[in-house]
């Protein structure tokens, strides 16, 4: 989605190759993916281990492909992208490397920042505080805050909260089938207790599925919901949202829709994650809000007590707790804090990143 908005600002004459969905570059005649995003759709440590051979092969193939490029754009996915950047630098080929949506070194493995600085030529941060992790690149003006992609993708924001007791309610149980299987049954139980109109927001790539395929994923409870594939529109008209952890929680916050973050996975995966990631909150809106009100963001955003929305994880994720969060939400306070976050992020990032790429390609 972020790449799709970036593509709007690039020359249609460019030859695009790599990992992407063809529809992202639908207006580009010379755009041919080697892999699509569906090839990489895994969630959790054990799912990754199962496909480790595939990932190694893909990294090697993309490293070779990148050697013949005029510019390389890396987006997120550090475990996949950083080996490509290192391979290019090691080869001695002078291909400019731009990293957009940087690895979350502020959350775990902060020592990676030095390696990222050495392997990449331009670092495009989408969180205002994260560039302080790259002091050398910042001093060399190779690291810059470009804005946040969600500010490109969201075109309407709420000026005041809707009455959440009567307005429609949005449900976003995740985009991966493993998440949906664990979280949607709990959301369906919550929905039965609320008289409001219920909107189930489905991932855009589920559009191609027929009703039987959707029923296989969500079960018979899907019939109790109105279906939407337009997350921004559905969140805008909703007074509250129940959302699986992820970017969607920040999306809802920026739009101005109060929410509760929900997450459940294998217990062993939570233990592994907690061994590496030392964060009090997992919701990006909560992390950002603590950074906003911190003079030392990297320590305070990890342990800060500021909170925009509730987070219910693992055993805390029950229908009873979700309904309690719904009943207790202070919508006015939420709306004020959401506006503060919008002001903090300032603007979108697509134009700024495209300008860097266009300059390098000219």
């Amino acid at each position: 989605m972020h790449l799709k908005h970036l593509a709007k600002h690039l020359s249609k004459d460019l030859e695009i190759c790599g990992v992407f969905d063809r529809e992202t570059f639908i207006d580009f005649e010379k755009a041919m993916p080697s892999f699509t995003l569906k090839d990489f759709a895994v969630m959790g440590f054990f799912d990754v281990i199962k496909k480790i051979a595939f990932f190694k092969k893909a990294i090697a193939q993309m490293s070779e492909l990148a050697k013949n490029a005029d510019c390389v754009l890396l987006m997120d996915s550090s475990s996949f992208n950083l080996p490509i950047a290192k391979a290019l630098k090691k080869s001695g080929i002078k291909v400019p490397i731009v990293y957009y949506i940087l690895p979350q070194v502020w959350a775990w493995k902060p020592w990676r920042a030095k390696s990222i600085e050495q392997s990449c030529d331009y670092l495009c941060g989408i969180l205002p505080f994260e560039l302080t992790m790259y002091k050398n690149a910042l001093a060399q003006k190779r690291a810059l805050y470009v804005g946040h992609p969600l500010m490109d993708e969201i075109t309407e924001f709420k000026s005041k909260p809707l009455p959440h007791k009567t307005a429609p309610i949005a449900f976003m149980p995740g985009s991966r089938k493993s998440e949906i299987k664990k979280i949607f049954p709990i959301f369906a139980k919550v929905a039965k207790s609320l008289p409001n109109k219920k909107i189930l927001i489905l991932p855009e790539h589920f559009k191609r599925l027929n009703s039987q395929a959707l029923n296989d994923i969500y079960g018979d409870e899907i019939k109790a919901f109105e279906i939407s594939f337009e997350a921004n529109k559905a969140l805008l008209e909703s007074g509250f949202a129940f959302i699986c952890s992820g970017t969607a929680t920040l999306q809802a916050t920026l739009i101005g829709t109060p929410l509760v973050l929900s997450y459940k996975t294998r217990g062993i995966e939570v233990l592994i994650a907690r061994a590496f990631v030392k964060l009090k909150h997992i919701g990006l809106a909560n992390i950002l809000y603590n950074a906003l009100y911190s003079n030392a963001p990297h320590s305070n955003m990890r342990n800060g007590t500021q909170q925009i929305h509730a987070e219910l994880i693992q055993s805390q994720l029950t229908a009873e707790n979700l309904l309690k969060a719904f009943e207790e939400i202070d919508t006015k306070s939420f709306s004020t804090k959401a506006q503060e976050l919008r002001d903090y992020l300032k603007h979108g990032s697509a134009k700024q990143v495209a300008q860097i790429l266009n300059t390098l390609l000219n």
Side-chain angles (χ1 to χ4, degrees):
M1 190 181 295
H2 301 332
L3 185 59
K4 194 173 185 178
H5 282 268
L6 175 60
K8 294 175 184 176
H9 304 284
L10 296 174
S11 168
K12 302 299 184 290
D13 295 327
L14 289 176
E15 181 178 350
I16 309 292
C17 56
V19 182
F20 58 90
D21 291 328
R22 181 65 186 90
E23 52 266 31
T24 301
F25 290 98
I26 196 70
D27 297 325
F28 291 67
E29 290 186 12
K30 295 180 285 185
M32 187 58 63
S34 299
F35 299 97
T36 67
L37 300 186
K38 190 166 68 173
D39 297 322
F40 297 85
V42 295
M43 180 67 180
F45 295 99
F46 295 105
D47 289 343
V48 170
I49 290 169
K50 290 176 188 175
K51 294 193 72 171
I52 203 81
F54 164 76
F55 292 137
K56 286 185 175 180
K57 180 182 176 182
I59 287 170
Q61 188 173 329
M62 289 301 96
S63 298
E64 285 302 310
L65 185 66
K67 290 177 182 178
N68 297 313
D70 296 303
C71 184
V72 173
L73 174 67
L74 308 178
M75 290 183 68
D76 207 357
S77 306
S78 60
S79 297
F80 183 79
N81 281 323
L82 285 178
I84 296 172
K86 290 175 182 177
L88 281 176
K89 292 298 179 184
K90 189 176 180 180
S91 73
I93 294 174
K94 303 296 183 183
V95 181
I97 300 172
V98 179
Y99 210 131
Y100 173 41
I101 308 180
L102 297 171
Q104 294 176 335
V105 296
W106 45 269
W108 71 310
K109 294 186 180 180
W111 60 87
R112 292 180 297 166
K114 185 176 180 180
S115 174
I116 294 166
E117 284 183 314
Q118 294 172 342
S119 303
C120 304
D121 299 298
Y122 297 91
L123 307 178
C124 301
I126 64 169
L127 304 175
F129 61 79
E130 66 183 336
L131 294 182
T132 57
M133 302 292 292
Y134 305 97
K135 292 180 180 177
N136 291 333
L138 200 57
Q140 296 162 2
K141 297 184 178 179
R142 295 189 295 112
L144 61 157
Y145 174 63
V146 292
H148 199 283
L150 284 179
M151 298 297 284
D152 285 314
E153 295 155 23
I154 301 170
T155 56
E156 292 184 77
F157 304 89
K158 292 176 185 173
S159 57
K160 60 181 181 180
L162 299 177
H164 72 293
K165 295 289 182 72
T166 56
I169 297 175
F171 293 82
M172 299 181 75
S175 58
R176 296 176 178 89
K177 292 178 183 178
S178 58
E179 294 173 333
I180 295 166
K181 293 290 185 185
K182 287 182 172 65
I183 296 171
F184 181 66
I186 303 171
F187 281 3
K189 190 175 178 181
V190 169
K192 290 177 182 177
S193 301
L194 297 171
N196 312 52
K197 172 183 170 183
K198 294 101 178 171
I199 304 174
L200 180 61
I201 301 173
L202 304 190
E204 196 173 345
H205 62 273
F206 279 14
K207 270 186 179 180
R208 57 179 174 263
L209 301 180
N210 59 34
S211 56
Q212 183 56 53
L214 291 176
N215 202 73
D216 290 342
I217 296 170
Y218 291 89
D220 288 338
E221 287 90 351
I222 194 174
K223 296 171 184 175
F225 298 83
E226 179 180 301
I227 303 301
S228 174
F229 293 97
E230 300 178 65
N232 287 346
K233 182 176 180 294
L235 288 169
L236 190 68
E237 68 177 64
S238 298
F240 193 86
F242 296 92
I243 304 180
C244 173
S245 176
T247 305
T249 57
L250 179 60
Q251 182 181 11
T253 301
L254 293 176
I255 288 172
T257 304
L259 71 132
V260 55
L261 178 153
S262 313
Y263 196 67
K264 200 167 203 174
T265 188
R266 297 184 186 101
I268 185 65
E269 292 189 353
V270 173
L271 291 174
I272 294 170
R274 284 177 175 164
F276 290 102
V277 184
K278 306 299 182 183
L279 293 172
K280 184 177 179 65
H281 297 103
I282 66 170
L284 192 51
N286 286 332
I287 293 168
L288 278 168
Y289 200 71
N290 280 287
L292 173 59
Y293 283 98
S294 171
N295 293 322
H298 298 118
S299 60
N300 211 31
M301 71 188 180
R302 290 193 184 104
N303 304 304
T305 57
Q306 299 277 358
Q307 185 166 283
I308 292 183
H309 58 74
E311 298 183 357
L312 298 176
I313 305 164
Q314 295 300 91
S315 61
Q316 296 175 332
L317 182 55
T318 64
E320 291 75 21
N321 286 341
L322 288 170
L323 287 167
K324 184 181 179 184
F326 172 78
E327 293 291 337
E328 294 180 352
I329 185 69
D330 183 341
T331 56
K332 288 185 179 179
S333 174
F334 179 92
S335 184
T336 300
K337 291 176 180 178
Q339 182 59 58
E340 290 179 73
L341 268 195
R342 290 196 287 266
D343 294 340
Y344 183 46
L345 294 178
K346 296 180 181 176
H347 50 69
S349 53
K351 286 183 181 179
Q352 286 75 13
V353 177
Q355 186 176 2
I356 293 169
L357 296 174
N358 289 329
T359 300
L360 292 170
L361 289 165
N362 288 332

